[in-house]
């Protein structure tokens, strides 16, 4: 077996069952020959543990937990530090935000391809930042607004004294030095709310990307119309940003 998809875990609780029994809390996954792993869904009170996963090349973390078990996510990332392709869902980014607020250090990741489900919301932004800084070898970054689950509130409140979107990404330690391709999917980049969040991010990419080759924006979707003025605003803003790479181009793709 080369591909393994784990779609969650659920069981009927017994009121007389001793929930403190560690034997029943861990769900250990042995995957010696698996090269592609996807973890999604809910796992109730089970703690996922990965063992013998050196053969993994592609890993996707899209799971949603009823409990905010930050240690489980930290351990999963540590086990996946060697994979070449990594995909992270919205909930995991929010969980990373909570970890970042406690001065947690994200494990060093060696992935060259990173796929993220995010719109750079306040709950996801610090988690996204710490993840990007821990993935210095990323050459291809994909951002999509498509997410299996809706937004959640795990008790994280944005600090009113935090830097504004305009200064947040530029002020972060340099990341994206090896980034060659950034691709963003979704019409959401034209919405006023997200426009103010994505533009400073793109400015930082163009500033840090010394080997950047292209930014591909795929905002158009069949059946959805974009006003010319909206498109002009995005285009003019992008063209006003300085670029560290002379080879960097910005491409608008027709549809997805």
């Amino acid at each position: 077996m080369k591909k393994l998809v784990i779609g969650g875990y659920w069981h009927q609780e017994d009121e007389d069952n001793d929930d403190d029994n560690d034997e029943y809390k861990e769900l250990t996954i042995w995957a010696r020959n698996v090269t592609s792993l996807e973890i999604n869904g809910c796992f109730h009170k089970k703690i996922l543990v990965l063992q013998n996963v050196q053969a993994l090349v592609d890993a996707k973390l899209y799971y949603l937990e009823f409990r905010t078990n930050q240690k489980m996510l930290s351990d999963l990332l540590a086990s996946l530090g060697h994979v070449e392709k990594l995909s992270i869902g919205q909930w995991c980014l929010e969980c990373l935000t909570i970890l970042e607020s406690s001065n947690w250090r994200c494990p060093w990741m060696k992935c060259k391809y990173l796929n993220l489900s995010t719109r750079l919301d306040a709950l996801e932004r610090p988690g996204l930042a710490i993840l990007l800084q821990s993935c210095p070898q990323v050459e291809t970054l994909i951002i999509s607004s498509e997410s299996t689950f809706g937004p959640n509130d795990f008790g994280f409140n944005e600090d009113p004294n935090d830097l504004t979107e305009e200064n947040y990404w530029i002020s972060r330690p340099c990341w994206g030095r090896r980034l060659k391709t950034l691709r963003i999917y979704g019409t959401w980049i034209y919405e006023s709310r997200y426009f103010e969040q994505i533009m400073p991010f793109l400015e930082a990419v163009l500033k840090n990307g010394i080997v950047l080759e292209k930014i591909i924006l795929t905002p158009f979707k069949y059946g959805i119309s974009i006003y010319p003025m909206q498109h002009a605003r995005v285009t003019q803003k992008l063209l006003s940003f300085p670029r560290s790479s002379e080879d960097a181009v910005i491409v608008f793709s027709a549809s997805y």
Side-chain angles (χ1 to χ4, degrees):
M1 182 174 65
K2 296 297 183 180
K3 183 176 182 179
L4 176 62
V5 178
I6 304 174
Y9 175 92
W10 183 261
H11 76 285
Q12 183 67 38
E13 283 194 11
D14 184 348
E15 293 182 358
D16 298 326
N17 186 41
D18 184 6
D19 247 356
D20 293 329
N21 191 338
D22 290 337
E23 178 183 353
Y24 298 101
K25 284 187 175 181
E26 286 193 358
L27 178 61
T28 303
I29 302 169
W30 294 79
R32 185 177 63 180
N33 298 317
V34 172
T35 57
S36 178
L37 172 67
E38 179 175 339
I39 300 174
N40 58 57
C42 303
F43 289 87
H44 192 46
K45 295 184 178 182
K46 286 291 183 180
I47 306 299
L48 290 179
V49 178
L50 298 180
Q51 297 283 352
N52 201 3
V53 292
Q54 292 86 351
L56 276 179
V57 177
D58 184 7
K60 300 178 177 68
L61 300 180
Y62 293 130
Y63 69 91
L64 174 71
E65 270 298 297
F66 291 152
R67 302 185 304 171
T68 57
N69 195 313
Q70 295 95 36
K71 184 180 184 303
M72 181 172 76
L73 178 58
S74 176
D75 291 344
L76 287 175
L77 289 176
S79 299
L80 299 172
H82 65 283
V83 300
E84 294 181 10
K85 299 178 67 176
L86 179 64
S87 299
I88 299 289
Q90 179 183 359
W91 184 90
C92 293
L93 289 175
E94 293 179 7
C95 189
L96 286 176
T97 291
I98 299 174
L99 287 166
E100 193 270 348
S101 66
S102 61
N103 295 320
W104 168 81
R105 294 180 63 87
C106 184
W108 206 250
M109 312 298 291
K110 296 182 179 180
C111 60
K112 294 185 178 181
Y113 176 98
L114 185 61
N115 190 326
L116 304 172
S117 295
T118 179
R119 292 189 179 185
L120 282 73
D121 282 329
L123 284 174
E124 303 159 7
R125 192 175 60 183
L128 172 60
I130 193 174
L131 181 63
L132 288 174
Q133 291 167 18
S134 300
C135 299
Q137 299 183 33
V138 166
E139 296 179 358
T140 301
L141 175 61
I142 308 295
I143 294 179
S144 171
S145 63
E146 302 296 333
S147 180
T148 305
F149 303 100
N152 300 281
D153 182 6
F154 292 111
F156 171 79
N157 295 315
E158 188 177 17
D159 188 342
N161 296 318
D162 278 351
L163 295 170
T164 63
E165 283 86 0
E166 183 177 357
N167 299 320
Y168 184 85
W169 291 107
I170 294 296
S171 68
R172 306 295 296 187
C174 286
W175 52 270
R177 292 292 189 180
R178 298 189 182 182
L179 186 64
K180 294 181 179 179
T181 302
L182 167 64
R183 185 156 197 160
I184 302 178
Y185 291 92
T187 58
W188 56 278
I189 64 173
Y190 287 102
E191 300 175 23
S192 295
R193 172 188 175 186
Y194 298 113
F195 176 84
E196 300 299 332
Q197 296 174 359
I198 192 65
M199 286 301 138
F201 176 80
L202 292 174
E203 181 180 8
V205 169
L206 289 167
K207 176 185 177 182
N208 296 340
I210 56 177
V211 296
L212 185 68
E213 296 175 358
K214 53 189 172 182
I215 293 178
I216 305 173
L217 302 179
T218 311
F220 309 113
K221 195 171 184 179
Y222 292 119
I224 298 179
S225 300
I226 301 296
Y227 291 110
M229 290 185 62
Q230 291 177 304
H231 183 64
R233 180 177 67 158
V234 170
T235 303
Q236 291 170 7
K237 189 69 173 178
L238 285 173
L239 293 177
S240 70
F241 296 147
R243 309 179 193 187
S244 294
S245 171
E246 295 181 355
D247 298 326
V249 297
I250 300 172
V251 179
F252 286 85
S253 182
S255 62
Y256 65 99

